[in-house]
Amino acid sequence: MRLLSVRAVLLTVLTLLLTFGLAAFVVQYFDHAATWVEHPSNSHFYKEGKLHSLGTVYDRSGKILLSMEEGSIKYNEDAAVRTALMHITGDRDNNVETAVPIAFRSRLMGWNLLNGAYRFHSGRFNPGQELNLTLDADLCTTAYRELGGRKGAVGVYNYRTGEIICAATAPSFDPLAPPDFDRSPGQYEGVFLNRLFSAAYTPGSVFKLVTAAAALDHLPGAEDTLFNCSGKMQINNSEISCLAEHGEVTLKEALARSCNVAFAQVALELGAERLQEYAEKAGFNTALKVDGIYAVAGRINLAHAGKAELGWAGAGQFTTTANPLSLMAYVGAIGNRGLQVTPRTVADRNLLSRADLKAKKRVLSEDTAATLGQMMRNNTLAVYGEGNFQGLELCAKSGTAEVGQGEKPHAWFTGFLAREDLPLAFVVVIEGGGSGSESAAAVASKVLQAAANAAKVE
Ligand SMILES: [Zn+2]
């Protein structure tokens, strides 16, 4: 009897140990499988520490952007496409953190938790090793060309579905022929940075879209109020100035003519807390997550802003910074009746979580979005010129962001098309580009016309 009970206890202990061991392994497996499989010592995927089998990445029309098999990397055959898409495909030394081969490594490697590192057979890729993007390679190439060697970013996305069709950022280079970066460090400053996702700039007047939304919601009679602009305004010992004397203006006219004095008055009436609240609703201080990649958050902090600083903040200056992608998502929400659909670059629906596919957020009330949209439409008709955007039903706002004495301001142009058949929102930012309504608007015009033409063909 005694022997039997000792054995029973021993068996129980062993069974328990086995169970705990298995449980621990399963937990570790689900937790760390990706790290184990993707470790450079795994010879299924790596040769001499470099990936030699990754699969194929396509654009929205089926153009090959990148394919990697048995040690050979193939990019698109057109150098202009390779350059314009380099921040998406990455370079050969994996310097671009936001690049798809890094963000979607497991998918491209073609392994999963159930089957492990299964491989393609009889010369054909396993379907697990394909990745289809929403990007239009031709449109990205047009956008990159229109930047004309200037640093900056161009983004275009469908504000109903979230599909990003254009994501171009400069400077860039042909990954098959990398230049000698050290020979012209100025030209290639931050070359591995995807400026659409990973940069943040002083917003200048595009921020007036945030101040205006708060005014529409919280200042009674905001649309009929007349603001008086004598070209400048004294707050304590600081002066807020405009480029011209705007006289008596409504909120709509103040937005079209980008009157700093009117928007400073609006900001003072709203107060710091309210303006901060609307900026955060618009996406400031939150990093936008696109297909698992975090964009950089734009920043605003009005907690300790004095009166003059609050005035400047309302007009888009002060210490506030804006991320181009996040700003594009905000203007997309204005176009989409106040609902923001999270932008994405991946077309394969099975790769996106249900949460990703339904990621919609109310940013503005339907009424506020509609009024703000009409004000942006008026900007085009009254200032930017309908002729430059023929047939696009363009609703937009420009920005010319001062960045310091003696430096040329950054040029912004952002907005959306009020077209049921072409629901696109966009952003253009050019570092040191000067006037937003001139340089950035000209790039937007070319890229949006190209997008409209491509949509006709589709
Ligand atoms: Zn003014």
Side-chain angles (χ1 to χ4, degrees):
M1 269 316 274
R2 264 192 83 200
L3 189 63
L4 210 62
S5 72
V6 167
R7 278 184 182 163
V9 169
L10 200 66
L11 272 175
T12 313
V13 168
L14 283 174
T15 312
L16 281 175
L17 277 175
L18 182 70
T19 314
F20 279 125
L22 262 177
F25 172 76
V26 169
V27 169
Q28 290 272 320
Y29 180 67
F30 278 94
D31 235 25
H32 298 294
T35 320
W36 296 339
V37 175
E38 292 162 24
H39 194 273
S41 65
N42 183 348
S43 61
H44 280 296
F45 298 118
Y46 290 88
K47 249 182 207 155
E48 290 155 13
K50 282 199 169 186
L51 273 170
H52 66 83
S53 184
L54 249 188
T56 307
V57 182
Y58 301 92
D59 91 331
R60 67 182 296 115
S61 62
K63 279 199 179 76
I64 291 179
L65 302 180
L66 175 75
S67 97
M68 215 173 181
E69 50 181 300
E70 298 304 310
S72 79
I73 309 177
K74 283 188 198 133
Y75 291 90
N76 190 280
E77 55 200 14
D78 183 344
V81 171
R82 292 197 296 271
T83 305
L85 275 298
M86 190 280 289
H87 291 92
I88 301 296
T89 59
D91 67 327
R92 285 193 293 192
D93 298 317
N94 289 325
N95 285 309
V96 184
E97 273 183 39
T98 49
V100 161
I102 295 179
F104 285 93
R105 182 159 288 190
S106 354
R107 159 85 175 187
L108 285 165
M109 282 177 160
W111 72 273
N112 64 38
L113 285 171
L114 284 181
N115 301 322
Y118 61 93
R119 307 299 302 276
F120 55 94
H121 344 234
S122 46
R124 290 175 65 111
F125 273 119
N126 188 309
Q129 288 177 297
E130 289 191 348
L131 182 65
N132 295 288
L133 301 182
T134 59
L135 294 169
D136 178 329
D138 291 338
L139 195 61
C140 294
T141 308
T142 302
Y144 183 79
R145 191 180 60 227
E146 291 302 324
L147 282 171
R150 295 167 295 183
K151 296 188 181 82
V154 182
V156 182
Y157 95 117
N158 182 315
Y159 55 74
R160 296 258 156 77
T161 63
E163 291 167 77
I164 301 179
I165 59 172
C166 174
T169 162
S172 186
F173 61 90
D174 179 356
L176 287 185
D180 183 354
F181 301 117
D182 297 333
R183 281 188 67 180
S184 39
Q187 187 187 343
Y188 292 110
E189 191 191 353
V191 70
F192 299 119
L193 195 71
N194 183 330
R195 282 162 158 81
L196 185 63
F197 283 71
S198 311
Y201 303 97
T202 303
S205 297
V206 292
F207 188 83
K208 286 175 177 146
L209 295 173
V210 175
T211 314
L216 289 171
D217 284 356
H218 293 283
L219 299 185
E223 283 183 82
D224 305 315
T225 308
L226 283 177
F227 300 90
N228 200 357
C229 167
S230 63
K232 57 190 173 206
M233 172 185 174
Q234 210 60 38
I235 307 178
N236 298 334
N237 290 325
S238 188
E239 186 180 273
I240 301 221
S241 55
C242 283
L243 289 174
E245 194 179 316
H246 293 117
E248 283 200 326
V249 285
T250 61
L251 189 66
K252 180 166 111 177
E253 289 163 343
L255 188 74
R257 297 159 78 181
S258 233
C259 177
N260 292 335
V261 168
F263 273 86
Q265 289 173 33
V266 168
L268 291 178
E269 281 184 49
L270 286 167
E273 270 182 39
R274 189 67 83 189
L275 192 57
Q276 178 87 24
E277 177 199 328
Y278 269 73
E280 291 187 356
K281 270 200 216 180
F284 287 81
N285 292 348
T286 303
L288 196 60
K289 195 179 172 193
V290 172
D291 309 322
I293 308 169
Y294 280 99
V296 153
R299 292 286 169 201
I300 185 164
N301 180 4
L302 301 176
H304 306 290
K307 273 190 158 186
E309 291 164 329
L310 176 58
W312 271 124
Q317 291 295 148
F318 191 45
T319 58
T320 310
T321 58
N323 166 253
L325 186 75
S326 186
L327 186 70
M328 178 171 82
Y330 175 60
V331 294
I334 301 172
N336 197 33
R337 303 185 178 98
L339 270 184
Q340 180 175 304
V341 180
T342 306
R344 61 184 164 89
T345 55
V346 172
D348 307 271
R349 296 177 78 81
N350 58 338
L351 191 68
L352 301 163
S353 69
R354 222 179 258 181
D356 281 338
L357 283 167
K358 288 191 175 167
K360 280 185 191 165
K361 190 171 80 176
R362 179 150 296 283
V363 171
L364 295 168
S365 75
E366 204 165 331
D367 282 351
T368 307
T371 309
L372 199 50
Q374 283 156 13
M375 288 165 70
M376 292 167 76
R377 180 74 186 118
N378 175 64
N379 292 349
T380 307
L381 298 171
V383 181
Y384 310 136
E386 182 72 345
N388 299 325
F389 303 94
Q390 208 65 55
L392 294 176
E393 296 287 316
L394 184 86
C395 306
K397 182 72 194 97
S398 64
T400 304
E402 300 297 337
V403 283
Q405 293 249 315
E407 283 184 62
K408 265 187 103 180
H410 295 332
W412 285 94
F413 201 65
T414 187
F416 65 92
L417 312 186
R419 270 180 57 172
E420 284 298 319
D421 61 334
L422 203 60
L424 300 179
F426 67 92
V427 66
V428 176
V429 59
I430 304 173
E431 295 177 22
S435 161
S437 60
E438 288 166 22
S439 62
V443 171
S445 165
K446 287 274 168 51
V447 173
L448 292 169
Q449 293 290 4
N453 290 336
K456 267 185 220 153
V457 178
E458 267 184 23

